[in-house]
Amino acid sequence: MQFISVAVFCLVFIPSWCLENLVFPPDFKFGVATAAYQVEGAWNVNDKGESVWDSVLHSQPSLTMDRSNGDVACDSYHLWRRDIEMAVELGVNMYRFSISWPRLLPTGFPNIISEDGKRYYNDLIDGLLEKGIEPVVTLYHWDLPQSLQDLGGWANPLIIEWFADYAKIAYTLFGDRVSTWLTINEPLVVCDGAYNKMWAPFLDDMKIGRYLCNKNVMMAHAKAYRIYDEEFRPLYHGKLSMPNIFFWFEPETPADAEVSDLLLQMWEGRYSHPIYSKTGGWPPEIEKVLAENGKREGYRQPRLPTFTKEEIDFVKGTYDFYALNHYTTRLVRKEKPGQAGPWPFYGCEELDVSVVNDPLWTTAVTDWFAINPEGLRKQLHWINSTYGVKDILITENGLPTVEKDLNDFTRLTYIKSNLEQILLAIDDGINVMGYTAWSLMDNFEWSSGYLVSYGLYSVDFTSPNRTRTPRDSARFYYSVIRTRSITSRQNELNYV
Ligand SMILES: *[C@@H]1O[C@H](CO)[C@@H](O)[C@H](O)[C@H]1NC(C)=O
Ligand SMILES: *[C@@H]1O[C@H](CO)[C@@H](O)[C@H](O)[C@H]1NC(C)=O
């Protein structure tokens, strides 16, 4: 053992033995996450404005599988004290939640700042801090004020200023107590998802709107970062990033290696390269493919809007760490033109590839969720080697189930396996700063409504009290946090 590191020994010889007592570094943080529209409810209390989700699900309830919406959800607007209590029960170091833009700014603009919105987020932040839990605040988790959507939403470049105004108000109100800010959650969903009829406002414009949005979210994030950097960081010394959702992609056969890399760039690079790469701007290979596709289709201007030199410099380097939401993995296969698929996986249609599951992976809920924890470690390596980013914070990771049982062994196992992969990556020399479980509790799961659960706590949506009850995964997570390790004892179910 003298000449061989523990990590190498473990990997080569007996990984299961080594993983039995793995310890997290002393400064590693554990957290749980939620998002405003998924938990708050109280969609129209006081002067709250309407969001795109309020608006579209009221007029078209069939857009969710169970015709539900977030009007009440977990009622966290009223039950936030219980949410804090649950975070305390788990022993987490941080609680990630989002501010509802239309709750704080009912018109979407800074002309009116809601006193009630201010009070709600102040109470939540102060309540967490009283218990020693760090608030990690997402500025935008998809609930755009409908008033701004009516003006074109994320396809209108003026949104860069609208978002910057909103961010500045949030920093001014809460920046003295919030030191980790996340700007725009999963911009891939904000653009590719919302313009592909899968997320509100359920638009259908994958050729143009999606790419206008892509450029505007990068600029809006950068502007919000620069404002913090110049006006607030000297006072509060906080950190900022933009959480990217990232499927890990691997080639199905060695012949698919090139398209697999391209799909990573299409998904991840389009939202990361402008910020994290040394050169900035779009990933060159993606800019080229999209320019060729556009030209062939008869467009005069690139469908993916170009960045000017000034814009490239403006966006480049606007991060303090890499924020990663990770869930699953796919294999990538080169297809003949027009055969892309099978599911509207963003980008496959531009690259003529399809994504498939490895038959060795088990799946959760439906086919979309393949379980391959090793993908997380590979992804962490990809971020390090592609961008040279040293610090990575896992801002989401979790497992969807249709079953609502309190005995959620599959979720517990999923979280355990992902934490093991994180420990291995840390051992490899990658600085993973912390882990955020999605989600603190069952909530409104977008177009799946309440049919799919991610919660460490179950929520009784039939009770007016929205009673929350810990699952086995909550007890497991508590035990990991308390011991700051994954121990063999946790393999048994009576870990606490
Ligand atoms: C991280 O990336 C850098 C740059 O490519 C590389 O030199 C380093 O070895 C990588 N670290 C790990 C732990 O792989
Ligand atoms: C809801 O909570 C109140 C106050 O704690 C309690 O009195 C009541 O019995 C609860 N109702 C249900 C249906 O759980």
Side-chain angles (χ1 to χ4, degrees):
M1 286 292 284
Q2 232 163 322
F3 303 108
I4 183 168
S5 83
V6 174
V8 171
F9 178 83
C10 285
L11 279 179
V12 177
F13 299 103
I14 11 179
S16 61
W17 172 81
C18 294
L19 286 173
E20 270 179 9
N21 287 291
L22 283 181
V23 176
F24 289 89
D27 52 354
F28 189 89
K29 289 180 183 169
F30 294 95
V32 279
T34 60
Y37 185 70
Q38 293 178 278
V39 300
E40 283 180 3
W43 75 277
N44 61 351
V45 293
N46 292 300
D47 54 351
K48 180 181 170 292
E50 214 183 14
S51 77
V52 289
W53 282 95
D54 295 324
S55 158
V56 78
L57 293 186
H58 288 157
S59 63
Q60 298 176 68
S62 61
L63 288 172
T64 54
M65 278 157 55
D66 54 1
R67 301 180 67 87
S68 67
N69 58 43
D71 285 2
V72 181
C74 305
D75 200 19
S76 286
Y77 176 82
H78 296 105
L79 300 174
W80 57 273
R81 287 183 187 83
R82 173 68 182 129
D83 296 347
I84 295 174
E85 190 177 273
M86 287 144 65
V88 171
E89 285 169 9
L90 290 168
V92 291
N93 312 104
M94 44 183 189
Y95 177 45
R96 177 185 172 207
F97 63 91
S98 77
I99 295 177
S100 159
W101 186 342
R103 190 180 300 287
L104 191 61
L105 305 182
T107 65
F109 293 100
N111 61 323
I112 298 170
I113 301 175
S114 163
E115 283 304 317
D116 187 58
K118 231 160 79 176
R119 175 203 56 77
Y120 178 68
Y121 296 111
N122 272 328
D123 283 350
L124 182 55
I125 290 166
D126 292 342
L128 288 164
L129 289 172
E130 259 169 45
K131 300 291 183 187
I133 297 169
E134 181 193 343
V136 172
V137 177
T138 315
L139 286 171
Y140 182 73
H141 204 122
W142 311 345
D143 44 356
L144 189 72
Q146 181 60 41
S147 54
L148 303 185
Q149 185 57 47
D150 294 342
L151 300 171
W154 287 103
N156 184 342
L158 288 173
I159 200 164
I160 300 160
E161 302 304 327
W162 304 337
F163 184 71
D165 287 343
Y166 162 53
K168 189 167 173 173
I169 287 169
Y171 303 151
T172 307
L173 293 174
F174 311 119
D176 57 339
R177 287 154 293 149
V178 173
S179 52
T180 306
W181 291 94
L182 301 169
T183 54
I184 298 164
N185 185 64
E186 297 182 1
L188 179 87
V189 167
V190 175
C191 300
D192 295 44
Y195 286 84
N196 193 25
K197 297 177 291 182
M198 298 182 71
W199 272 268
F202 295 89
L203 304 169
D204 185 7
D205 186 3
M206 286 296 269
K207 290 279 189 210
I208 306 294
R210 163 215 210 169
Y211 295 116
L212 297 177
C213 173
N214 194 164
K215 181 175 176 189
N216 294 337
V217 290
M218 303 316 292
M219 294 294 293
H221 157 80
K223 181 122 196 176
Y225 182 93
R226 302 251 173 236
I227 288 172
Y228 189 86
D229 209 34
E230 282 153 29
E231 299 174 37
F232 297 88
R233 197 192 300 276
L235 297 171
Y236 304 134
H237 317 291
K239 290 184 170 177
L240 267 85
S241 191
M242 175 164 73
N244 271 308
I245 173 82
F246 193 151
F247 279 31
W248 176 244
F249 292 119
E250 288 179 14
E252 187 183 33
T253 70
D256 300 308
E258 196 183 323
V259 288
S260 177
D261 286 349
L262 259 185
L263 193 60
L264 276 174
Q265 290 296 345
M266 185 72 187
W267 268 58
E268 196 47 21
R270 254 189 311 131
Y271 295 96
S272 292
H273 194 276
I275 297 174
Y276 300 97
S277 69
K278 301 276 178 289
T279 49
W282 301 120
E285 58 274 52
I286 292 301
E287 199 165 20
K288 181 162 167 277
V289 169
L290 295 182
E292 286 166 3
N293 289 356
K295 200 176 250 179
R296 198 172 54 243
E297 292 157 357
Y299 293 96
R300 294 284 178 89
Q301 305 292 328
R303 290 194 277 110
L304 180 69
T306 47
F307 280 116
T308 65
K309 175 78 180 68
E310 288 72 26
E311 288 169 340
I312 287 174
D313 292 340
F314 186 72
V315 178
K316 195 171 67 179
T318 53
Y319 69 92
D320 299 311
F321 57 92
Y322 197 103
L324 172 66
N325 294 357
H326 169 86
Y327 289 94
T328 183
T329 302
R330 280 298 183 286
L331 300 179
V332 184
R333 178 192 293 166
K334 179 84 187 134
E335 297 284 6
K336 294 193 180 65
Q339 306 267 296
W343 187 68
F345 252 90
Y346 325 123
C348 290
E349 79 293 356
E350 299 273 17
L351 305 177
D352 296 322
V353 301
S354 62
V355 293
V356 292
N357 283 345
D358 188 320
L360 294 174
W361 299 332
T362 52
T363 55
V365 187
T366 58
D367 279 359
W368 92 262
F369 204 103
I371 300 176
N372 176 43
E374 288 80 8
L376 172 55
R377 183 181 180 191
K378 293 178 187 168
Q379 189 163 81
L380 292 166
H381 273 275
W382 188 86
I383 293 168
N384 170 67
S385 61
T386 309
Y387 302 120
V389 178
K390 294 219 166 34
D391 304 322
I392 303 173
L393 179 66
I394 312 279
T395 36
E396 281 181 32
N397 179 245
L399 181 82
T401 57
V402 176
E403 303 78 38
K404 311 244 175 201
D405 310 6
L406 296 179
N407 310 111
D408 58 340
F409 191 68
T410 51
R411 178 172 297 105
L412 183 164
T413 309
Y414 176 89
I415 292 175
K416 182 170 189 260
S417 321
N418 280 278
L419 286 171
E420 285 168 357
Q421 293 301 318
I422 290 168
L423 280 170
L424 289 170
I426 291 173
D427 233 19
D428 297 338
I430 304 215
N431 182 29
V432 184
M433 305 152 66
Y435 174 86
T436 315
W438 182 274
S439 173
L440 172 60
M441 60 189 148
D442 294 350
N443 54 49
F444 174 76
E445 184 46 38
W446 313 112
S447 54
S448 304
Y450 298 96
L451 299 179
V452 168
S453 305
Y454 280 84
L456 298 178
Y457 281 70
S458 83
V459 175
D460 180 0
F461 290 103
T462 62
S463 160
N465 289 353
R466 296 296 192 269
T467 312
R468 288 101 153 109
T469 313
R471 291 199 165 104
D472 284 343
S473 56
R475 298 180 204 285
F476 166 77
Y477 197 40
Y478 162 77
S479 158
V480 169
I481 298 169
R482 194 192 45 169
T483 61
R484 300 197 60 82
S485 65
I486 299 172
T487 67
S488 49
R489 237 183 90 234
Q490 288 153 342
N491 286 328
E492 304 149 24
L493 269 176
N494 50 346
Y495 18 77
V496 277

